[in-house]
Amino acid sequence: MRQAVTRLVVFVVLLVAMDRLVYAGAAFLRDHAGHPMNGIDLIYDKGGWNPPIVFFGDSRTQLNFDMREVENLTGLAAYDLGYNNASAEQSLFMLEEYLHHEHRPSVVVFEADPMLLDKRYGSFHKEAFRDHVAVVPDPSDLLRRSRPTLQQRASAFAVTWLMKSASLPNRLPDLWSRWLARGTATVSEVLFHPCGSPERYMLCRYYNGADNFVIGNGQHMTAEPLLSNIDTERTALFEHIVTLAEQNDFRLMLLETPLLYSDQAYSPEQKRRADAFYCGLAQAHRSVLYAQMTHIDGIDRDPALYWDWMHLNAIGATKMSQLIAPLISALTNGQRPEPCLLQ
């Protein structure tokens, strides 16, 4: 019996050691093989990369801004950490990880529209983080207690340790993909690349996380107005983001970007309640600005600015960036024109 237990212990120790070795190899190749770091990789970078302006949200954040234009107009480095179909919980997790890894932004632009107050909207893509963390917290655990109990600490440690020891199957594909990616370019530059589906081939322009459709088709909204609840889980999440802004001394812009013919997207009552919530946060906290940029300069009425009815194309993304750049500049200088801009 004792011999069997000894063998089991030796097996577990070797498994854990091999897992950590493979994980370390994948991480080393990720950081030293010469392939460009971007997106989620950069959240965990401690090599001095620290842009003053960062954007968080889903595909509408990823597609609706031109980081070159933001940088040119503000004179500050900017990066777009929008992630396709990301839930508000994922965006919060990304922001918390970003702050935890010693990044100190001056302005955080966080997507804020009625859809994001509905807990059914978006997904938490945990697989996107496995290069960096063995355990991604459950969305319900994101609003952490400031003083966890000893039992909670012990439970979290046990789950983390067990998950790390079982992560070897995930690490081998990561190690192989990092090896294949070695030696590629590291310079951040504008990259044009094919995008879209085979049936709808498009050309996209990538720079600092933003990926803009070069042209568009300006489709009209064909669906019914979007359904949008206001769930307490999501309102608590946005309140937590405001707390992070105050604790980490950055200015927070809660930003709603336009849809093509925005007035058709939501019922008037849903829109009124969402605006009241976001505006209330800004009115209660001097570090927060709520900017509803859905009608300004007719941006929601020009199909030439859109790829589809929910996303701007490159022309629209450049215009949107020109509209928000003065607000970002004001926030970096500690100024806020007013708590709520409903334009």
Side-chain angles (χ1 to χ4, degrees), residues 133-153:
V133 291
V135 181
V136 176
D138 187 85
S140 62
D141 297 330
L142 280 172
L143 306 182
R144 304 184 182 102
R145 296 182 181 179
S146 57
R147 294 182 179 179
T149 65
L150 180 61
Q151 181 180 358
Q152 289 170 331
R153 289 179 183 273

Side-chain angles (χ1 to χ4, degrees), residues 79-98:
Y79 201 91
D80 191 329
L81 288 164
Y83 194 97
N84 186 35
N85 192 39
S87 63
E89 287 82 4
Q90 176 173 326
S91 296
L92 168 59
F93 178 69
M94 292 171 68
L95 173 58
E96 287 200 329
E97 290 291 278
Y98 187 78

Side-chain angles (χ1 to χ4, degrees), residues 192-214:
F192 289 91
H193 64 97
C195 56
S197 64
E199 297 79 23
R200 293 181 62 198
Y201 173 82
M202 304 288 290
L203 184 65
C204 282
R205 179 188 67 198
Y206 175 89
Y207 178 80
N208 278 12
D211 214 5
N212 309 131
F213 289 101
V214 173

Side-chain angles (χ1 to χ4, degrees), residues 52-94:
I53 306 167
V54 285
F55 290 67
F56 292 90
D58 63 9
S59 62
R60 295 184 61 222
T61 295
Q62 185 180 22
L63 296 171
N64 284 2
F65 302 100
D66 179 351
M67 291 299 103
R68 293 181 308 164
E69 196 69 13
V70 172
E71 290 184 338
N72 289 338
L73 294 174
T74 63
L76 299 170
Y79 201 91
D80 191 329
L81 288 164
Y83 194 97
N84 186 35
N85 192 39
S87 63
E89 287 82 4
Q90 176 173 326
S91 296
L92 168 59
F93 178 69
M94 292 171 68

Side-chain angles (χ1 to χ4, degrees), residues 24-271:
F28 180 86
L29 285 175
R30 180 192 70 218
D31 298 335
H32 298 89
H35 71 284
M37 294 180 68
N38 56 64
I40 290 172
D41 285 347
L42 286 170
I43 291 175
Y44 298 91
D45 175 59
K46 294 185 178 180
W49 179 83
N50 194 30
I53 306 167
V54 285
F55 290 67
F56 292 90
D58 63 9
S59 62
R60 295 184 61 222
T61 295
Q62 185 180 22
L63 296 171
N64 284 2
F65 302 100
D66 179 351
M67 291 299 103
R68 293 181 308 164
E69 196 69 13
V70 172
E71 290 184 338
N72 289 338
L73 294 174
T74 63
L76 299 170
Y79 201 91
D80 191 329
L81 288 164
Y83 194 97
N84 186 35
N85 192 39
S87 63
E89 287 82 4
Q90 176 173 326
S91 296
L92 168 59
F93 178 69
M94 292 171 68
L95 173 58
E96 287 200 329
E97 290 291 278
Y98 187 78
L99 297 170
H100 179 69
H101 287 81
E102 302 175 8
H103 300 294
R104 294 294 177 264
S106 297
V107 175
V108 169
V109 180
F110 204 98
E111 186 175 353
D113 61 26
M115 286 184 290
L116 288 173
L117 295 176
D118 190 327
K119 64 183 180 181
R120 298 170 298 177
Y121 180 75
S123 300
F124 199 138
H125 301 271
K126 294 187 176 184
E127 69 280 359
F129 299 90
R130 72 183 190 193
D131 269 8
H132 305 280
V133 291
V135 181
V136 176
D138 187 85
S140 62
D141 297 330
L142 280 172
L143 306 182
R144 304 184 182 102
R145 296 182 181 179
S146 57
R147 294 182 179 179
T149 65
L150 180 61
Q151 181 180 358
Q152 289 170 331
R153 289 179 183 273
S155 176
F157 175 81
V159 170
T160 300
W161 189 87
L162 288 171
M163 289 297 292
K164 283 184 176 180
S165 68
S167 62
L168 182 58
N170 288 338
R171 304 308 178 194
L172 289 173
D174 294 340
L175 182 61
W176 178 245
S177 65
R178 297 301 183 185
W179 175 257
L180 294 177
R182 70 193 189 283
T184 53
T186 60
V187 178
S188 178
E189 58 185 11
V190 177
L191 172 66
F192 289 91
H193 64 97
C195 56
S197 64
E199 297 79 23
R200 293 181 62 198
Y201 173 82
M202 304 288 290
L203 184 65
C204 282
R205 179 188 67 198
Y206 175 89
Y207 178 80
N208 278 12
D211 214 5
N212 309 131
F213 289 101
V214 173
I215 60 174
N217 54 19
Q219 292 178 339
H220 288 245
M221 185 177 72
T222 56
E224 295 295 322
L226 298 169
L227 297 177
S228 179
N229 293 328
I230 296 183
D231 296 311
T232 55
E233 295 91 338
R234 288 290 176 90
T235 57
L237 183 148
F238 276 93
E239 290 166 353
H240 184 64
I241 294 169
V242 171
T243 300
L244 289 177
E246 295 180 334
Q247 292 175 343
N248 293 274
D249 194 29
F250 63 79
R251 297 291 184 265
L252 175 65
M253 181 190 294
L254 298 174
L255 177 64
E256 181 184 356
T257 55
L259 304 167
L260 184 57
Y261 301 108
S262 295
D263 289 337
Q264 300 175 22
Y266 307 102
S267 73
E269 178 61 17
Q270 289 170 332
K271 189 69 176 67

